[in-house]
Amino acid sequence: MKKIVGALSLAMAGLLVLGCSGKSEDVIKVGSIGPLSGPVAVYGVECKNGIELAVEEINAAGGVNGKLLKVVAEDDEGNPEKSVSAYKKLTTKDGIKLVIGSLTSGCTQAITQLAQAQKVLQIAPAATAPAITDAGNFIFRTCFIDPFQGTVGGKFSYETLGSRKAAVLYDIGNDYSVGLTDNFVATFESLGGKIVAKESYATGDKDFNAQLTKIKNANPDVVYLPDYYGTVALIAKQLRAQGINTPIVGADGWDGMNNDNAGDEVLNGFYSNHYATDSTEGAVQKFVEAFQAKYNKVPNAFAALGYDSVYMLKDAIAAAGSADSEAVRDALEKTDGDYVTGHLTFDDKRNPIKSAVMLEVIRKDGALTTAYKTTVQP
């Protein structure tokens, strides 16, 4: 972790450019793709902020291998077709061979085959679907994967909350939601718990009362809601209105819930995530302090994952002594270091081996926030 010496960011021609302009031979260009607008913009904006902070720190400390980092950011609006367009623009017009993004699993998977075929190194900060890295050895990720998250949710519900009867309500058309559900169910049942209701809905649905009536009649002692924060808040409001007051449990898609998009209905809620802002780890405290100083808010997990993605890439470029995508790939595979979201190494599919934390949604000083609950090791 480097100390921030000064802000070096600069926006030009509709692109996000971080660092000093410099001559082309004096910079290493990195592409960034994420939802900077649209329904999951909280993810993309926070990730971009984390990327920006990391690049400013690295450039202020002299860059990497004597060169500054220069990031060109593109908005895919959370739309896989636009992710492909953004990728093609970055790799053709900008000539970029190192890409961070996208954020959601669907958008990320839309470009993995292209990246692999063109030997473009792709780091996915937050795409948790297992198949993301199946495209080949140029595809990495910074986050843990859905099977681990689903397992964490199941273990937490059974062991920490003491639940024995669980209900699940999930988006049948969302690979993220389906993958989490499958692994939660398998883990909860393997521990001796019983799934008393398993209900689904379609992406974009707004009325969940029919499914929630069935869940209420099944009398669960925990409800698993594996979806993104906007949908979770909507479901939780209807769930509480039906008098279902059990704990609700979810995954990292909950990250981003705040007073603007949720209320007391999400209290008594818990979700797995990549790090805890109230951790006592020195690296976490330094990151949170620097982020708050720059953006005047507490960084969510997407900010931390974006930040770590840049530092992992920087370390690999330094180790390789080159920004050539094949050389960086070989160095990245050997990653074994401490980052904000934990100690990280890669398995044979370039998925991180790292711990997860469970966070509780609470109110503090009138605002929704989270508190660390427990850590689950891989």
Side-chain angles (χ1 to χ4, degrees), residues 35 40-48 103-104 227-230 252-256 300 302-303:
V40 290
V42 167
Y43 302 159
V45 171
E46 286 293 281
C47 186
K48 177 184 74 69
L103 272 289
T104 61
D227 209 326
Y228 305 128
Y229 62 89
D252 63 342
W254 286 32
D255 206 22
N300 67 19
F302 295 91

Side-chain angles (χ1 to χ4, degrees), residues 137-218:
N137 61 354
F138 279 85
I139 317 302
F140 294 75
R141 69 177 116 210
T142 314
C143 57
F144 43 63
I145 60 177
D146 288 341
F148 181 52
Q149 278 209 95
T151 297
V152 167
K155 288 183 67 175
F156 174 80
S157 296
Y158 189 90
E159 297 175 353
T160 303
L161 296 182
S163 303
R164 296 296 179 265
K165 298 186 298 179
V168 181
L169 181 56
Y170 68 103
D171 184 343
I172 198 168
N174 183 327
D175 289 345
Y176 170 78
S177 191
V178 172
L180 286 166
T181 293
D182 290 346
N183 287 280
F184 174 89
V185 168
T187 300
F188 192 76
E189 289 182 333
S190 73
L191 292 170
K194 182 178 180 181
I195 304 299
V196 295
K198 186 179 179 183
E199 299 294 322
S200 65
Y201 54 89
T203 304
D205 282 357
K206 303 296 183 185
D207 187 347
F208 308 93
N209 281 292
Q211 297 97 319
L212 290 171
T213 296
K214 293 179 182 178
I215 287 174
K216 182 178 181 180
N217 291 337

Side-chain angles (χ1 to χ4, degrees), residues 8-19 21 48 52 56 70-73:
L8 301 171
S9 60
L10 167 68
M12 300 177 65
L15 303 178
L16 173 65
V17 179
L18 307 177
S21 56
K48 177 184 74 69
E52 177 181 349
E56 289 187 355
K70 175 180 178 180
V71 176
V72 183

Side-chain angles (χ1 to χ4, degrees), residues 39-116:
V40 290
V42 167
Y43 302 159
V45 171
E46 286 293 281
C47 186
K48 177 184 74 69
N49 287 344
I51 289 171
E52 177 181 349
L53 176 60
V55 170
E56 289 187 355
E57 290 179 0
I58 291 165
N59 285 346
V64 54
N65 296 344
K67 297 183 178 183
L68 299 178
L69 295 181
K70 175 180 178 180
V71 176
V72 183
E74 295 292 329
D75 179 12
D76 66 9
E77 302 175 29
N79 181 321
E81 292 183 2
K82 293 184 179 182
S83 303
V84 173
S85 297
Y87 170 87
K88 289 180 176 178
K89 185 265 179 187
L90 289 171
T91 55
T92 56
K93 182 178 179 181
D94 299 301
I96 286 172
K97 299 286 283 186
L98 308 171
V99 173
I100 297 174
S102 183
L103 272 289
T104 61
S105 293
C107 287
T108 301
Q109 197 150 14
I111 59 177
T112 55
Q113 294 288 347
L114 287 170
Q116 181 65 28

Side-chain angles (χ1 to χ4, degrees), residues 2 28 30 58 61-69 98 121 123 309-335 339:
K2 309 294 188 297
I28 297 171
V30 178
I58 291 165
V64 54
N65 296 344
K67 297 183 178 183
L68 299 178
L69 295 181
L98 308 171
L121 182 73
I123 299 177
S309 296
V310 175
Y311 268 101
M312 276 181 8
L313 184 59
K314 171 255 184 188
D315 289 344
I317 293 170
S322 167
D324 172 76
S325 62
E326 292 187 63
V328 176
R329 176 203 64 192
D330 292 344
L332 195 58
E333 287 180 339
K334 299 173 184 175
T335 297
Y339 297 90

